Amino acid sequence: MKSFYLTTAIDYVNGSPHIGHAYEKVLTDVIARFRRLMGDEVFFLIGTDEHGQKVQMGARKRGIPAQQFVDNTAAEFRALYDRLGVSYDDFIRTTEERHQRVVREILQRLHDQGEIYRAEYRGFYSTRQEQFLQEKDRLPDGSWPEIFGEVTELVESNYFFKLRAYQDWLIDYLRTHEDFIFPRFRQKQVLEFLKEPLNDLCISRPRERLEWGIPLPFDQDFVTYVWFDALVNYVSAVWSEGAPRADRWPADFHVIGKDILVPPHAVYWPIMLHAAGIAPPKSLLVHGWWLLKGGQKMSKSTGAAVDPLDLVDRFGVDAFRYFLIREMNVGQDSEFSVELFLSRYNSDLANDLGNLVNRALNMAGRYSAGVVPAPEVLEEPERELQALWSRTRDEAISLCEGFQFHAALERTLTFIKAINRYVEQRAPWKLAKSSEPADQVLLRTALATMTEALRLGVTLLAPVIPGTTAKVNAALGHTPALKWSDELQWGTSLTGAKLQPGLVLFPRPETAKPPAV
Ligand code: MSP
């Protein structure tokens, strides 16, 4: 059976991770968890991109061997993703032998097929960007833009991959596969880019200039260009006997940021695969960027960035995950600010969700001796809440299928607020004071209804805040099923469950220690 195969970009390990790297992994984790709950067998890959000029320079600056430098930083990235609860199945590092072997195999294959040739190259080279520049990259006054750093003229003999020969194939492929790139407008940008003739891709770097890379199998004086090396991770992690495993490949989604769509993922990668006789991935999911206030870019090198661990230490993993997913419309950009974080934390998590959990558990504990009663009647308030549940569930699932997670969360929180209103309306504390048998029936029904609604609401939040869902289920005395098809029906599975009181979720940051979610 073919797995649902999901990947993220592999991060450069030339600095510490920031909120942008964390976002991509959490977003992909939400997709992975959602698909698993929907019944798919998921294979989820993340990893680190460890070769190239920037890494070599980073190691030299610190006076340590490159391998030691990448071991340290890769461990830092991995520890962050473990802390964030990213449920990856494999973590690939491009310095691992299992990866290098496949890069060499693909290069050799392309070389044998005549897709790679050697030529003299003269041009202006940017060390910072690790690329040769073109005349069109110059500013109107003839100088080079800041982002390229120091630019020098080089004449070099190098190896080239015949990208141009596949330009028409790629255009045709994109035209006949309209769903290749999500969001759709990005596919148009790629076609726009392909209106200009492609240059063949320089896939080597002379070893005297760059040591830290994978030597070309057919010429040991050169190492592989870092993008050619990095892209191969998506197949090297699932390689078996000359091809990616059929139960994994083609990948269902490569999740990447908008900066690395054109040309690496939308042009080099499909062409590399096609030339090597491998099918392209099914789709690319392109997310936008987290920016600082005022639209400023974050940067590993300048340190102008938001540290994910700082927020996680103060507010807990789930609050951090919730914020990232609630505030970003996948595909667009979003600005980060602590004020916004706090306002989401207080309104959605502490007020709406945290309060409800606390009240529901306390009331059921107090008025029903800690055991969930069976519902006994179905009146207008119960009927309304159940109808709202059905709509919320169906809409949220279809929004998640279209990657509109922010909107799915918004719908779910609307349902959580409706549970709060239901509790106000039924006022169990008043019913508990009455000795009328009819009021006792209503009380038991109200307690059963609100605990069941709470179970369903937090289940829908599981892909985004899995730790919280698990805690609430434990407090409800409930062991959830692995699949949503068995879990999202309104029912009576909680009847008789023994509640664990005293769960405090999302305490006010001023007054409380950080939660351990
Ligand atoms: N190593 C390459 C990817 C190779 S994939 C075969 C790379 N690494 S990176 O560390 O610079 O970026 C990793 C991912 O993080 C990219 O998808 C990038 O778009 C994403 N982000 C980096 N900064 C970001 C934000 N500020 N916001 C959201 N995502 C951002 O590119």
Side-chain angles (χ1 to χ4, degrees):
M1 192 178 99
K2 161 94 175 63
S3 305
F4 188 90
Y5 180 25
L6 264 177
T7 69
T8 63
I10 51 171
D11 301 312
Y12 281 132
V13 288
N14 59 327
S16 293
H18 60 57
I19 191 174
H21 306 105
Y23 168 68
E24 179 176 279
K25 280 41 178 199
V26 169
L27 168 67
T28 315
D29 184 59
V30 170
I31 302 172
R33 287 175 186 270
F34 168 68
R35 299 284 6 154
R36 286 190 201 109
L37 289 162
M38 294 296 285
D40 284 324
E41 151 89 30
V42 171
F43 188 76
F44 175 16
L45 176 73
I46 65 173
T48 38
D49 185 357
E50 305 190 357
H51 289 125
Q53 193 90 31
K54 287 182 208 162
V55 173
Q56 179 168 299
M57 281 172 5
R60 287 206 179 131
K61 216 166 74 191
R62 288 163 181 82
I64 55 173
Q67 187 64 51
Q68 189 184 331
F69 176 53
V70 297
D71 285 349
N72 294 346
T73 353
E76 196 185 334
F77 275 85
R78 192 167 180 160
L80 171 68
Y81 300 143
D82 287 339
R83 179 92 196 271
L84 293 177
V86 177
S87 60
Y88 56 87
D89 296 292
D90 195 359
F91 190 106
I92 187 141
R93 302 180 54 187
T94 55
T95 49
E96 285 175 274
E97 179 51 27
R98 63 169 172 154
H99 171 74
Q100 304 206 27
R101 199 185 321 126
V102 178
V103 172
R104 286 195 297 268
E105 198 174 324
I106 291 179
L107 281 168
Q108 188 66 54
R109 189 185 299 176
L110 294 175
H111 189 254
D112 293 348
Q113 287 172 200
E115 304 286 356
I116 290 174
Y117 62 92
R118 187 168 175 161
E120 233 4 33
Y121 191 89
R122 170 187 290 276
F124 289 93
Y125 187 79
S126 152
T127 315
R128 185 184 294 168
Q129 299 298 331
E130 293 174 46
Q131 71 184 67
F132 278 100
L133 305 178
Q134 294 174 18
E135 282 307 314
K136 66 174 168 36
D137 294 323
R138 285 188 197 268
L139 295 172
D141 70 359
S143 65
W144 301 103
E146 213 19 66
I147 51 155
F148 295 123
E150 191 191 341
V151 175
T152 41
E153 193 173 9
L154 285 183
V155 183
E156 244 176 40
S157 174
N158 262 314
Y159 286 89
F160 290 82
F161 169 51
K162 292 181 179 170
L163 210 59
R164 191 177 201 149
Y166 292 96
Q167 181 157 5
D168 288 343
W169 169 80
L170 182 59
I171 293 172
D172 190 54
Y173 186 84
L174 292 171
R175 291 214 173 113
T176 51
H177 294 77
E178 287 189 347
D179 292 333
F180 184 56
I181 304 175
F182 179 92
R184 283 251 177 123
F185 74 90
R186 297 268 177 215
Q187 184 127 336
K188 295 209 183 82
Q189 284 178 354
V190 181
L191 283 165
E192 207 45 44
F193 176 84
L194 288 169
K195 281 188 176 154
E196 294 288 318
L198 286 175
N199 291 320
D200 285 345
L201 178 65
C202 179
I203 51 134
S204 64
R205 298 291 180 265
R207 239 170 156 167
E208 65 219 23
R209 186 151 67 74
L210 178 66
E211 285 252 5
W212 189 240
I214 303 176
L216 295 183
F218 43 82
D219 191 337
Q220 299 289 311
D221 290 339
F222 293 85
V223 298
T224 312
Y225 170 47
V226 68
W227 266 109
F228 194 100
D229 162 356
L231 287 161
V232 170
N233 90 88
Y234 302 131
V235 289
S236 67
V238 296
W239 199 257
S240 167
E241 292 175 23
R245 284 169 49 169
D247 59 347
R248 303 267 190 266
W249 195 260
D252 291 79
F253 282 99
H254 291 323
V255 180
I256 55 167
K258 63 179 187 179
D259 56 315
I260 57 171
L261 175 68
V262 187
H265 282 84
V267 179
Y268 303 162
W269 184 226
I271 292 181
M272 280 163 65
L273 288 165
H274 184 64
I278 303 170
K282 285 192 200 157
S283 1
L284 310 176
L285 173 58
V286 186
H287 62 76
W289 270 40
W290 281 97
L291 302 168
L292 296 168
K293 246 185 171 167
Q296 197 200 338
K297 266 176 88 167
M298 292 191 209
S299 152
K300 275 187 225 161
S301 42
T302 66
V306 178
D307 178 0
L309 283 177
D310 178 43
L311 292 164
V312 169
D313 285 342
R314 285 162 64 196
F315 302 100
V317 170
D318 277 6
F320 179 66
R321 291 174 59 108
Y322 181 85
F323 173 80
L324 292 179
I325 301 302
R326 178 64 186 85
E327 279 305 317
M328 183 75 100
N329 182 342
V330 175
Q332 296 177 11
D333 292 345
S334 212
E335 281 182 23
F336 177 86
S337 77
V338 176
E339 297 79 47
L340 196 58
F341 190 102
L342 277 174
S343 118
R344 278 285 167 218
Y345 183 93
N346 285 327
S347 67
D348 294 10
L349 297 176
N351 261 350
D352 295 338
L353 182 60
N355 267 347
L356 172 67
V357 169
N358 203 262
R359 292 174 81 196
L361 288 171
N362 284 347
M363 279 187 249
R366 195 167 325 143
Y367 306 132
S368 181
V371 175
V372 180
E376 292 174 40
V377 286
L378 192 65
E379 295 186 352
E380 196 53 29
E382 286 77 28
R383 258 198 294 275
E384 265 179 26
L385 196 60
Q386 291 192 18
L388 178 63
W389 165 248
S390 299
R391 283 203 302 281
T392 305
R393 177 196 54 205
D394 296 350
E395 279 176 25
I397 289 179
S398 114
L399 286 164
C400 289
E401 275 167 341
F403 309 112
Q404 301 295 294
F405 298 109
H406 68 294
L409 285 179
E410 191 250 327
R411 298 288 198 289
T412 310
L413 262 289
T414 302
F415 177 67
I416 298 284
K417 282 187 210 141
I419 312 177
N420 272 319
R421 278 198 308 277
Y422 170 82
V423 175
E424 289 302 318
Q425 195 178 355
R426 280 296 188 209
W429 52 93
K430 287 190 192 151
L431 297 170
K433 287 191 191 133
S434 158
S435 50
E436 290 290 317
D439 285 340
Q440 292 304 311
V441 166
L442 278 188
L443 174 62
R444 287 192 289 275
T445 299
L447 298 178
T449 303
M450 71 196 200
T451 44
E452 177 63 359
L454 176 61
R455 178 187 74 76
L456 292 165
V458 296
T459 301
L460 216 43
L461 294 172
V464 182
I465 50 172
T468 302
T469 305
K471 280 185 174 184
V472 174
N473 273 323
L476 287 171
H478 174 67
T479 309
L482 290 178
K483 289 185 194 161
W484 267 358
S485 51
D486 302 321
E487 201 53 20
L488 290 183
Q489 303 301 328
W490 189 295
T492 53
S493 61
L494 289 180
T495 304
K498 247 191 113 16
L499 300 167
Q500 308 283 325
L503 178 62
V504 177
L505 294 169
F506 309 110
R508 299 279 168 192
E510 323 70 72
T511 55
K513 286 204 307 273
V517 173

